[in-house]
Amino acid sequence: MEEKKNILTYEGLKRYEDELHDLKVVKRQEVAQKIKEAREQGDLSENAEYDAAKDEQRDIEARIEELEKILKNAEVVVEDEVDLDKINIGCKVRIFDMEYNEELEYKIVGSTEANSLKGKISNESPVGKALIGGKIGDIVSVETQVGLIQYKVLEIQRSSN
């Protein structure tokens, strides 16, 4: 089975590459030093520092593996080439929530970059799916647990703006 493509914006790609570099170059060295110091204390069977360092090492290696997998299957959206006639990954969209009478602004990103607290919603989320392909003036409906929510598309812009 072919692995799913991880759609990333350039900002997301850069953030993952930086994190991977930091883990490989800095964190690996730090944890290796902690393990070395803990070993020098003697008996490892009751050494909490050694156990904690080994746990940290395992977590770092797991995150490195996860990041390498994300980056190996990354497909970068060139945000400067995003078609602003309709909503797509890599654009910022301003919408009007017709039920709560409020404007919202989201950046549409791939699922690995999604972070609703930072206004980044996935193209695979219910709202993201409904918005993709929408044009200014369109009213899109999203089926949620609380019922049907409608949004009017007010503006589509490059997210780099």
Side-chain angles (χ1 to χ4, degrees):
M1 188 175 107
E2 190 178 322
E3 290 195 52
K4 183 182 122 190
K5 284 282 180 209
N6 296 307
I7 300 171
L8 297 172
T9 59
Y10 179 74
E11 173 192 343
L13 176 73
K14 183 91 180 85
R15 195 176 67 249
Y16 285 137
E17 287 174 340
D18 291 348
E19 181 185 352
L20 182 62
H21 182 266
D22 181 59
L23 288 171
K24 284 182 166 182
V25 176
V26 180
K27 299 291 187 220
R28 268 184 177 165
Q29 294 297 324
E30 288 174 0
V31 82
Q33 185 61 33
K34 287 179 189 175
I35 291 170
K36 181 177 180 271
E37 288 169 7
R39 273 197 181 124
E40 290 169 356
Q41 293 174 11
D43 184 10
L44 298 180
S45 64
E46 294 179 21
N47 189 325
E49 287 89 3
Y50 179 79
D51 291 340
K54 289 301 276 183
D55 287 346
E56 186 180 352
Q57 183 182 43
R58 188 189 61 240
D59 294 345
I60 288 169
E61 293 305 321
R63 181 62 179 159
I64 286 171
E65 190 177 323
E66 181 184 1
L67 287 170
E68 285 177 337
K69 192 183 241 182
I70 289 170
L71 293 170
K72 186 180 98 180
N73 294 305
E75 187 175 297
V76 179
V77 174
V78 181
E79 293 163 81
D80 291 342
E81 295 173 8
V82 169
D83 176 8
L84 296 179
D85 291 340
K86 60 182 189 294
I87 298 170
N88 211 324
I89 297 170
C91 69
K92 197 183 288 178
V93 59
R94 205 163 46 85
I95 57 177
F96 183 74
D97 183 324
M98 298 175 83
E99 183 178 350
Y100 291 104
N101 230 15
E102 65 178 342
E103 280 188 21
L104 305 166
E105 192 169 280
Y106 292 117
K107 180 175 180 177
I108 311 293
V109 296
S111 59
T112 52
E113 271 184 90
N115 182 339
S116 59
L117 298 175
K118 292 185 177 177
K120 296 178 178 183
I121 60 170
S122 165
N123 63 314
E124 297 174 15
S125 70
V127 174
K129 275 184 189 170
L131 289 172
I132 294 284
K135 295 176 170 40
I136 294 173
D138 284 1
I139 293 177
V140 296
S141 299
V142 182
E143 189 62 54
T144 67
Q145 292 96 333
V146 295
L148 198 65
I149 297 178
Q150 293 191 310
Y151 300 105
K152 182 173 184 170
V153 180
L154 301 176
E155 184 179 12
I156 303 169
Q157 55 185 213
R158 297 195 195 295
S159 60
S160 49
N161 291 354

